[in-house]
Structures are given as structure tokens and as C-alpha cells.
Amino acid sequence: MHIRTVVILMLFTMSLSVPALYGQKTEKAKSEKPLSKKEKRRLAKAKKLEDKIQDVIAKVEARDFVIKDDGVSSGSSSGLYPQSGLVNFFRIKDDTVTFQRLGAKPLGTGIQEEEVINKFQGIIRSVQVVEANATTPPRIVISYQDRITQDYRRTVIFIFPSRVEARREDGTGLVIRGKHYSIAKARVRELGINSDRILVETAQRY
């Protein structure tokens, strides 16, 4: 067979396969329906949550992380918390974790209130990121050694779509929940800086 005849046959075969291939692509395009508004919202929420998770992890790993309390805990059984944000916070700064909450304890009839400052501080020993499961959101476990008692403690940071929570796993029931920030943007007010008095008083209560 001459080379010219072979080339003509190849071109003819290709011309037959192109429409078939085009038809396959067309059928595939038809089968892929555009996303509905509900599906788009769901995907957008999922991406927003994933971005938030990565941002929280990055700030914690950089030791530049703050949760400012949003006041949701106000009126809980563990005390009245009329203030939030500025003085009620959880912070990771360098190798130090700080948990501070300014509360009020009712006196007598409950009309008068005694101000109570709960402040815990420790040196971070380990940080563990735990993925979400069927019942629990993604979380970060912070293990640290208390500056006053020298006991080893844990605080777990839970990452929810609408907020972030830091819960002390030591029976105190203390929780800080709200939005998260870098230290510079949070601008919280730490009480008793360079003094262990508040830390000691808190340890004595618990």
C-alpha cells in the first residue's frame, strides 16, 4: 500500500472518531447540572469553615492567638459575667497560655456583687490538632503546666462555624467563647501583669 493511501485512510478514520468524541463530551456536559443556590451556599459555608479552621491552627502554631469572650456565659451557674472581651479572654502568647475571666459573685440578697478575678497561666508543653468526627467539631488540645500549682492541665479549643471556644478540662467549668484574633488585633487587658497574686488567689479558690 502506498504511503499516500495510508495517510488518506488515517485521516478518514480520524474524521469518524471526532464526532463520536464530541458527542461524548456533549453528553457529559448535559449530565453535569449546574449547582443549585442551596448547594452553592453549602459549599460556600464549607469553604468558610475550612478557612477559619486553618486560620485558627496557624495562629495557635504561631503562638499568636486570642479568643475574646462574647458574653454568652453571662448568668451561668459558675457566676455572673457582666463584662466581656476586654478582660475576659483566652490567649496563647509565645510559650504561655493565659485564661482570664472577671466575674461577680452575688452577696446576701444578690443585689450586691463582689468582683472576682479568675486567672490561670501556664507553660505550654504540647499542642495537638484533632480532626472533626460525627459528634465533635475540629479542636486543638493545649497541654500546659500551671505556673502556680505546677500541675499539668489541658484546655481544648473547639472550632465552630459561628465561634471558637476554649474550655478548661479541670472541673472548673470555665469557658471562653467568642471570635478569635491575633494578639495585636485583640488588644485585651491582662490583670496582674508581672504579679502572681491573682494567680495564687485563683488557685486557692480551686
Side-chain angles (χ1 to χ4, degrees):
M1 186 179 291
H2 296 292
I3 295 176
R4 183 177 178 184
T5 305
V6 171
V7 172
I8 292 173
L9 286 173
M10 288 177 62
L11 291 174
F12 178 72
T13 303
M14 289 176 62
S15 67
L16 291 176
S17 62
V18 169
L21 181 62
Y22 177 77
Q24 290 176 3
K25 290 183 178 180
T26 304
E27 289 300 320
K28 184 178 180 182
K30 287 181 180 179
S31 64
E32 294 177 353
K33 296 180 180 179
L35 295 175
S36 64
K37 290 183 179 180
K38 184 177 180 179
E39 290 172 328
K40 288 180 180 179
R41 286 195 298 268
R42 180 177 57 79
L43 289 175
K45 285 183 178 180
K47 184 180 184 307
K48 185 177 179 180
L49 177 58
E50 181 59 29
D51 290 344
K52 181 178 182 179
I53 293 169
Q54 295 306 317
D55 186 50
V56 170
I57 292 173
K59 284 182 169 60
V60 169
E61 290 181 341
R63 304 296 197 268
D64 183 19
F65 178 77
V66 177
I67 301 175
K68 295 179 69 173
D69 195 80
D70 57 14
V72 172
S73 294
S74 236
S76 69
S77 58
S78 54
L80 302 176
Y81 304 121
Q83 300 191 48
S84 65
L86 180 64
V87 292
N88 293 344
F89 64 87
F90 171 81
R91 182 183 67 202
I92 295 176
K93 181 180 181 181
D94 298 328
D95 65 344
T96 302
V97 56
T98 301
F99 199 116
Q100 177 177 290
R101 182 179 281 289
L102 176 63
K105 182 171 64 178
L107 294 176
T109 61
I111 297 175
Q112 294 176 318
E113 294 178 352
E114 176 189 8
E115 188 175 84
V116 176
I117 301 171
N118 289 316
K119 182 180 177 183
F120 301 87
Q121 204 163 60
I123 304 303
I124 297 173
R125 297 307 182 194
S126 68
V127 176
Q128 179 186 8
V129 178
V130 183
E131 294 183 358
N133 56 40
T135 58
T136 310
R139 55 208 182 277
I140 305 174
V141 180
I142 311 296
S143 299
Y144 55 93
Q145 189 172 14
D146 191 278
R147 274 185 52 189
I148 302 303
T149 67
Q150 297 301 303
D151 293 332
Y152 283 87
R153 302 293 188 187
R154 293 202 325 171
T155 289
V156 182
I157 301 171
F158 292 88
I159 308 171
F160 296 97
S162 59
R163 68 187 185 282
V164 183
E165 293 185 0
R167 303 179 188 174
R168 283 177 56 86
E169 290 195 335
D170 57 1
T172 60
L174 294 177
V175 178
I176 294 292
R177 53 167 61 92
K179 293 182 179 181
H180 72 283
Y181 305 84
S182 64
I183 293 171
K185 290 185 177 181
R187 297 184 178 182
V188 294
R189 181 164 67 90
E190 182 181 351
L191 305 174
I193 299 177
N194 301 322
S195 170
D196 287 342
R197 181 182 62 83
I198 296 176
L199 296 174
V200 171
E201 290 176 352
T202 302
Q204 289 173 344
R205 283 195 295 272
Y206 292 95

